[in-house]
Structure formats: C-alpha cells, structure tokens
Amino acid sequence: MQKPSSRLLQHFPQIIHTFTTRHGGVSKPPYSSNNLAFHVGDKPEDVINNQRSLARSLGYELKKLVHMRQIHSDKVLIVDTTLHGFEHPPECDALITNEPDIPLMVMTADCTPVLLFDPVENVIAVAHAGRAGAIKAIVPKTIRKMQQHFGCKREDIRVVLGPSIQNCCYEVGEKIAKEVTEEGFGFAVVERQGRYYLEVNAIIHRQLQDLGIRHENIEDLSICNACENDTFFSYRADNQKTGRIAGVLMLKQP
Ligand SMILES: [Zn+2]
C-alpha cells in the first residue's frame, strides 16, 4: 500500500504533515527498516539515520523536532522554543504549539496517531491514543487545552486519525472488554463468534462528536496497520519486537 496522506491537511500551505511507513530506512530486522523510536532496542545510530532522512525530506532541523516519552497517559504539553525535545523528549502523550518550525512527532505501532490543526489560530497538536489514552480522553484534553491556551474554536479544529489497529485485528480478553464497557465505551467492543475485539477509533470519534468537532473536519484514514503489516509496524502483528512509525506535523514560518 502507498504512503498515507491526509486530504484534509494537504490543502493548508502553512503546515507540513506526514505519516511514515516502515520502508525507506536503514534499520535491520525486526526494526526494518524505517524505525524512528530509540526506546525499542534498535541501534541508536540507525534510528538517528532514519530521523535525519525524514528531517531532510520534510525540510526541518532535526534538533528542533519534539517527540515524546509516551506513557499511555492523559498528559498534554504545550511546547515552545525553550524545550529541547529531541535530545530530551518530555514524558507525555500529546504536544501542542503555535510556534513555527517546531515539528511535533507522535510514534505508534498499533495505537492511533492523531494530528490536530486549527488554521484560524494557527495551532497544531499531535496525540498518542491507544486504548488507555483514549479511555483517559487524551484527545478531548488536547482539544480543551488548545481552546483554553490559544483560543481555538471547536468549529475550526481539524482532526486526523492515522494508521492504527482496528477491530479486525485488535482482539482483547473478556476482562478488558468488560472494563471498556464499564467505562462507558461498550459501543467500541465488537463481539464475533464469542471473541471480543476493540475499535479504539470509535471511542475517539464519539469524544470528538461530544466536543462538537465538525464531522467534515474529522478524517479517519481507516488504515489497519496490522492488516497492512507489510507497510507499517504493528506491535501485535510483529509479536511485540518491532519499530515505530511516526505522525509529524509542523507549522511553517508565515
Ligand atoms: Zn486489521
């Protein structure tokens, strides 16, 4: 399958965005080849190489990139030029900025990478939303922070859900299915032949709807990275030892 791109975001000349695939890097198996994460056991020099190539292809300075030590939390951080987020990635699961030339990166291998953009206030955000993060409302909390700190209006905010594991492949045990239901998200549990499957993006969609984000401003790429394991890393399909793909968003200098 081809490298995915957001039709919603590609119309805005003031930003650059991308979702990477597992191809085009230098990492060796099981990280082959374009792994962008340092914490998964890959050789650091290979990861740096992959990160450098991505920075070059998108036209940003690598040292300005901010990525995260993602912990499946609801912690949202506002980023400014004082943060050296490449060397010392902050511990959180969402980043927001209105500063140009600071690329924000979310890394995933089954969880949903979410890119957010308000073209009126020129504010961008990225969020990491797996089952835990979605239940903790990481995406609504990111949007509320965009509203509180930058005056973003819900009708202006664009939201894109990147490649992530979908209910075709995300089987969970009865205990988790029950927990998710008890949290009020039973609609995201799919039962097939006595087995339970989870649709994390259904939780995110419901939250976006509750926040009043416009339907036409939401784009779900609807790509299952586990089905498309030839193109994307998948924690489950690759038996846990694998790399990470990235969603990247950056505001350009006006
Ligand atoms: Zn699938």
Side-chain angles (χ1 to χ4, degrees), residues 61-77:
E61 276 183 78
L62 187 53
K63 65 174 190 208
K64 290 191 177 169
L65 176 82
V66 182
H67 57 122
M68 302 176 269
R69 276 182 50 213
Q70 299 168 178
I71 48 169
H72 300 279
S73 73
D74 60 354
K75 214 175 139 195
V76 183
L77 185 75

Side-chain angles (χ1 to χ4, degrees), residues 76 91-92 101 114 123 127 134 143 149 193 196 198 205 217 226 234 239 244:
V76 183
E91 197 174 82
C92 59
D101 288 341
V114 185
V123 175
I143 289 173
H149 284 256
Q193 297 166 333
Y196 297 98
L198 201 58
H205 278 288
N217 288 344
S234 168
N239 290 320
R244 297 290 180 275

Side-chain angles (χ1 to χ4, degrees), residues 127-227:
H128 164 246
R131 168 171 55 90
I135 288 172
K136 291 175 193 162
I138 182 72
V139 177
K141 284 171 184 170
T142 305
I143 289 173
R144 265 182 233 123
K145 218 159 191 174
M146 290 171 75
Q147 293 172 318
Q148 285 160 3
H149 284 256
F150 297 104
C152 297
K153 296 193 180 65
R154 63 184 179 188
E155 59 267 31
D156 298 326
I157 297 172
R158 271 67 171 176
V159 185
V160 179
L161 312 188
S164 61
I165 196 163
Q166 324 253 310
N167 83 67
C168 41
C169 295
Y170 191 4
E171 185 178 351
V172 295
E174 197 177 347
K175 187 171 165 275
I176 286 181
K178 221 177 139 200
E179 276 170 20
V180 171
T181 304
E182 279 165 5
E183 294 280 356
F185 302 109
F187 59 86
V189 178
V190 182
E191 204 183 329
R192 287 193 298 267
Q193 297 166 333
R195 292 168 176 262
Y196 297 98
Y197 300 84
L198 201 58
E199 184 67 24
V200 171
N201 287 359
I203 299 175
I204 302 171
H205 278 288
R206 177 68 62 89
Q207 292 169 331
L208 293 172
Q209 193 187 329
D210 290 348
L211 280 174
I213 302 298
R214 282 184 174 159
H215 181 71
E216 64 268 30
N217 288 344
I218 301 169
E219 181 183 11
D220 187 339
L221 297 186
S222 299
I223 297 169
C224 176
N225 64 306
C227 286

